[in-house]
Structure formats: C-alpha cells, structure tokens
Amino acid sequence: MLLLPTAKGGLYFPSHAAVVVVIAPRSGIVAREPWGRRGQTAPGLVAIGVVAVLLCGTRTSADSPLLLSSRRAERQRRWRGRWRLRRLGVQGEAGAVDKDFKVYSPSALSNYMASPFVSWMNRLLKECPDDPRCAFIGPPPLGTFFWVRGEEVEQRLLRFFRCERPEMKIMDLTHLIGEAKRQTTIEGPWRAVATEMALEELMRGEADMYFQVPLCHPELGLFGIADFILRRPAADGCVEFAIWDTKLALHPRPYFLTQLAAYAECLEFLLRARGSEAAVESIGLVLGESAADHGLAHELSANEVRPYFRQLWARFRVAQEHFDPAGSPPDPADTATAALSQWSPYAKKLFSERDDLALVAGLTRLQRRKLMAAGYDTMHSLASLRPSQLKRFSKVTGIGEKSLQKLRLQAYLQCQTLSSGRTASRLRPGARLALAALPAVDKGDVFFDLEGTPLPPPQAAREYLLGVSTRDGVYHDWWAHDAEKERDAFRDFLSWLKERRRRFPALHVYHYGSYEASAFRRLRRDPGMQDVFDDITTLFQENVLVDLYAVVKNSLALGLPGYGLKNIEHFYRPKRETEVTGGADSMVVYQQWMDDPDGHDWQSSGKLHSIRDYNQDDCESTRQLLSWLRRRCSTLLSSRGDASATDGNEEEADGEEEGPDEVVDNWKAANPAAEMQKALRALKKAASEACAV
C-alpha cells in the first residue's frame, strides 16, 4: 500500500486501496554473525500489523495521527543525531557533519601534499566540469592502472593473518558504511552513525584486528576509512591501538604518513570523547605485495607524526576554504613534473602563456625560485643574460656560475627554436673530447633496450622483455613473465652476448639512459644470479655498456624541452607509427595483458606484439642515433670550436660518451627503519614549509 503526498503536505490513499500492511524495516532482533558484526537486520521483513481499511480517496488532515507520527519520527531523528554527535565529542545539530561544513578525507590531504595544483584542478573538475580549463585534462595517470593491485594488497594481508595467525580474531567492518546510510533518515548523518558503530566495536574489544574502520573527526571536518586497526594489550593493563595502511608502493612517502596520522588523530579524539584511557600508540605501513604476504609492517610512534599532520591539515583547510573557481590555481611549477598527472597538458599551456622558467630543460624548482627572487621570472629574461653578468649574478642567486652558464644557454636555444621554428643547438665545452671518445665501429655492436615495470607483483618479472638489435638490423628478444623466467632470460641474453663477444671482441652494447645499466647492477645483487656474477661485472669493468644519453646530454645543448630519445630522434628519423609510443604505454599494455591475457606469447597476443614492436623500434632508434652521431662527428670535430651554433636538421650533437665506469657498486640494501625516518624528515620539512606560507 502506498501513501502519496498531496500538494498541501497531507497524505493521500489511492482509491483502489483496500488493505494497509504496516511493515517494520528493522525488527527489534539484531542479527549477529559469528565474528561479531552487529546492526544487521534479521532475514526478511517483519509484518507487525495488518489493518483492513475501506477508504476510497480519503486524505489525511494536518493533525491526523499519521502526520503526528511523522513529526514524532522527525523529532526522534534529530534527537538521535544530536546524541550521536555528543558521543563523538561535538555539540550541534544532527546535520552538522554533513551540511554545515565540508568533510575531507585523509587521501585529499595526501593529494594536496603531492600537488596543490592537481588538488585544485581536481576540485574544479568536480564542481565546475564545464569550466574551459577542464577541457585540457589528459589521459589518466599511470598509477590508476595499478589500483586493482593496490586493493589486492589489503586482501593479501587479510589472507596472511587468517592463514598464518588463526588465533587472531578479525572483524570486517566493511558493511558499516552501507548500514549507516540506510539509517541516515532516522538516525542522523551517516558518517557519525558509521563512526559510532565502529567505535562501539573497538571499545567492546571482541577482536584483535579490525578491517575497513570508518573514523571521523567532526571538529576538523575529517572522515576516512582506516585499512587496519590492531588492538593490543599494554604493559599497564590498558589498551593500545596500532593503525596500519597497505600500499602497493615499495618505499614510504611523507603523504603516506600523514594519511595514517589522520586516522590516529580521529581515533584519539573519539577515545577521549568517550573518556577512554586507550591510546593510539603506533602507525604502520605495509609496503608492497610481498610485505603483505608476510605480514610485515614498518611502524612509527603515532606521536612522532601527529604534530606535523595538524600543521599540514590546517594549511590544507585554509586552501580549501579559499577555493574560488573563478580564480587561478596554485602554481604548477611548484609540483614535480611526474606529479602533474592528467593535468600536465594544462600546466604546459600555463607555462607557455607566461613564458615560465619551468620550460627550460634541466632547470630545477629550487633554481627557478632563486631566479625569480632575483627578478628573472621568464625563459626569455634568462636567455637575455649576458655572459659578462654571470659571475655577479651567480653571487646574487647562489647558483653556481657553470650551472648558470648551462641554464642560460639552454634558455637561449629554446627561445631561438621558438622564434625560428627550427631546433637550435650548440656544442658544449668538452664536446670534442666526448665525441672523440666514442668507441670505434665494430661489426658486432648491439643496441639494447628493456621493457619493465617498477611495481611487479610477487614472483612476477620486473623486466618482462629484453630486446637487442644488431648492426645489420636483426632483432632478438627474450620474454619473461615471472621472476625465475626473468633470471633465465638474462642468463640467455648474457650467454648470447658472451658467444658474440668471442666472435667480435671489440663489440659494445649501446643503450639510451641509465635504466639498462641499473638493471644489471640489480641482477648482480640477486643471490639467484651469482652464477653469472662475473659475466655482469665484466660488462662494467671492460666498459662494454655505452650510454648514448650521456653522450648527447654532455656534448650538445639542444633547443628542446627535454633530452629523451623521443625528443631528439626527429633529427634522424620520421615520426613513430607503432601502437605503443612510450615506456608508460608499454607498462599499461603489459598490465592489461596480465589482467586479461589475449594470448600466451607475442605471436598469439596482440598486446604483447605491440610491446615487442615498440621495443624493436627503440633498439632501431638507438642504432640510428649512433649512426647519426658518427656521421656528424667528423664535421663537429673539424669545426672551429664548441661555441659555434647550428640549427635544426643541421644540428646534431651529442655528447660525452663513456659507458658506465662504476666497478664498485655503491648501492646499499634498503633499510626499512631508515626509509621511514627519511619519510618522517620529509614530512617535517613539508610541515615547516606549510607554516611558513
């Protein structure tokens, strides 16, 4: 039977009604599951009365029992809402948490710490999606393709405790949010309801670990869901809580700590409001899938982190309260390029419009701030510096004279490129020596490139494709989809290379960037690769590896925004036409293949085939780069000097050759405690900067 509202606020019984069945959406019986869940409705709906009516078209009056009952329900809802807020330590109306001020999550603070610009733009997109600036959003950041694995880290840790620590009682509170939202119309704001229900479970103490715990701090306007809260007995007989969070990342970050500190602040506030002597003693990070599989968390005292959280939260709230969609966002130049994520296209647009110093390749954020403090806030103003001014200007800015010389030259060449439409370039000091040091041509030379992911799942391969092209254009590849196959792939490559060196003793392995050399250093530390330790060491001792990026970067200044292979290859080859166009694309496509394989190898899988094509193209581009350098080498070495400027397609240059010459590996194994302290120091610095603003 339905009750339909009238225009005057009464209730109307449809004329065809004959029977009204009064249903209780919740019975007085509370279902309780074996692991301690409360608040769930017993199965089925309980009919508490059946009333026969013979009303045809009857309307209720303003003082009818039905409306009076509705008013009583509203008063009861308000009273219960105020009661719940008082229990949380706040005086006010039931709607205060949801309506009177904004509620933000710890994740919102983490995003703000990573980039105030991105945080501002994300809010603009949410509140004003039709704003013209939102049209400049780019593709989603790479991290979004790993979110499923991030969720899996939580489940891995749960499985560890359930399987390896069966004596621990675990209570899953995931259902509380949905339960609270269903009660909202009767019992007040759902955040307060969910938090109160969670707090009751924590205070009851019937479990050792609580999963997905909603927590709110109405005074701070803070609400979040803690992954794990562990209840531990203290030495003095009281109770201590530890809050853990799981991350796919393998290294701690300052904003990871602030997120945990936010949960600790909420729980401490709630405990004090209840008059409890329990305390939040520690916070912990479970970093990566392997750590979750073994139940390993790196902990810090909560009291070490919470003061910095309070400073950052205050700054964050000020920024949110002063948000104005009609205004300008924070300066994107204060954000690391990698953190600009999908707003990178709009940031580049802003840089171009204001001729920002951030356009200068190789210029750091600290150098930018120093230059701006000295009155040089555009790329053209930096380019206009005269060489005779550099010494004095170095003292004013605190930037080394040689660094200033490089930056001025880079800015000058980029301005030349913009004005002429052709890429300007100039030899750097020492370019002759660097180019002359390029190894002699050898028929056995090979061109090497790796495809890998920074966050491989446990037992999966980090480097999933090793590719190499020979001087005659023949391409070889080795694939690996798990850690053991990765070791086998490197062994096979090293065996192939060793045999090739017997035939061509003077060959070199050319690559672009430090990634490939770093991969070999990592393998040399792997206990499972000690059988080829000598083979790997030989690559470094005999300078077999040659990084062409070092050659390009140190011998030639180019009027380009960067020195990546994709930036400079337009000098010597047409635009790429492969489906995968960058390293990030390769990682995304490989992750998609892992989630949904469309074949077992590159021959049967379109996804793997596209990655192979991209890798082959990279190897070929590296070979063409070396040929281009050698063709230009004689011209450059016979030119008058390093100061001669050239332009566009006549411009080549690369510099400094020198393969990795490190024989001693200075890498030290990661120390979790040291890394946590490092993250804490970075957090302290961020808090100090927030207070200074």
Side-chain angles (χ1 to χ4, degrees), residues 506-529:
L507 75 75
H508 286 82
V509 178
Y510 294 90
H511 58 95
Y512 197 84
S514 61
Y515 187 84
E516 285 71 20
S518 297
F520 281 116
R521 292 190 183 96
R522 178 177 59 82
L523 284 173
R524 192 166 57 175
R525 298 189 298 267
D526 186 346
M529 294 292 287

Side-chain angles (χ1 to χ4, degrees), residues 69-85:
S69 177
S70 175
R71 289 168 185 162
R72 283 195 296 271
E74 175 62 18
R75 285 197 298 272
Q76 185 181 48
R77 183 192 71 79
R78 288 176 173 271
W79 181 85
R80 287 182 178 177
R82 287 194 294 269
W83 173 76
R84 286 188 179 276
L85 288 174

Side-chain angles (χ1 to χ4, degrees), residues 107-144:
S107 298
L109 174 60
S110 298
N111 294 336
Y112 177 79
M113 287 182 62
S115 172
F117 169 76
V118 171
S119 175
W120 196 96
M121 292 300 299
N122 285 342
R123 182 169 175 182
L124 180 70
L125 180 64
K126 182 178 180 180
E127 298 184 8
C128 308
D130 295 329
D131 190 291
R133 292 170 290 186
C134 294
F136 290 92
I137 190 170
L142 181 61
T144 59

Side-chain angles (χ1 to χ4, degrees), residues 605-677:
S605 165
K607 296 172 184 175
L608 296 183
H609 199 296
S610 65
I611 294 173
R612 184 180 186 271
D613 289 344
Y614 166 71
N615 181 266
Q616 183 175 359
D617 215 19
D618 262 1
C619 293
E620 183 63 16
S621 181
T622 304
R623 183 188 67 80
Q624 292 171 336
L625 170 60
L626 180 61
S627 299
W628 175 75
L629 283 171
R630 293 195 186 283
R631 287 198 308 270
R632 302 298 181 176
C633 187
S634 59
T635 302
L636 294 173
L637 293 178
S638 63
S639 64
R640 292 186 55 191
D642 296 343
S644 61
T646 58
D647 92 298
N649 295 328
E650 296 294 26
E651 204 46 38
E652 0 303 334
D654 283 56
E656 186 210 357
E657 160 306 293
E658 251 180 75
D661 54 2
E662 285 185 52
V663 175
V664 179
D665 189 354
N666 293 320
W667 181 90
K668 296 182 179 179
N671 183 326
E675 288 199 345
M676 290 290 279
Q677 289 299 323

Side-chain angles (χ1 to χ4, degrees), residues 83-94:
W83 173 76
R84 286 188 179 276
L85 288 174
R86 288 193 187 102
R87 295 199 71 183
L88 296 177
V90 176
Q91 300 295 325
E93 289 298 319

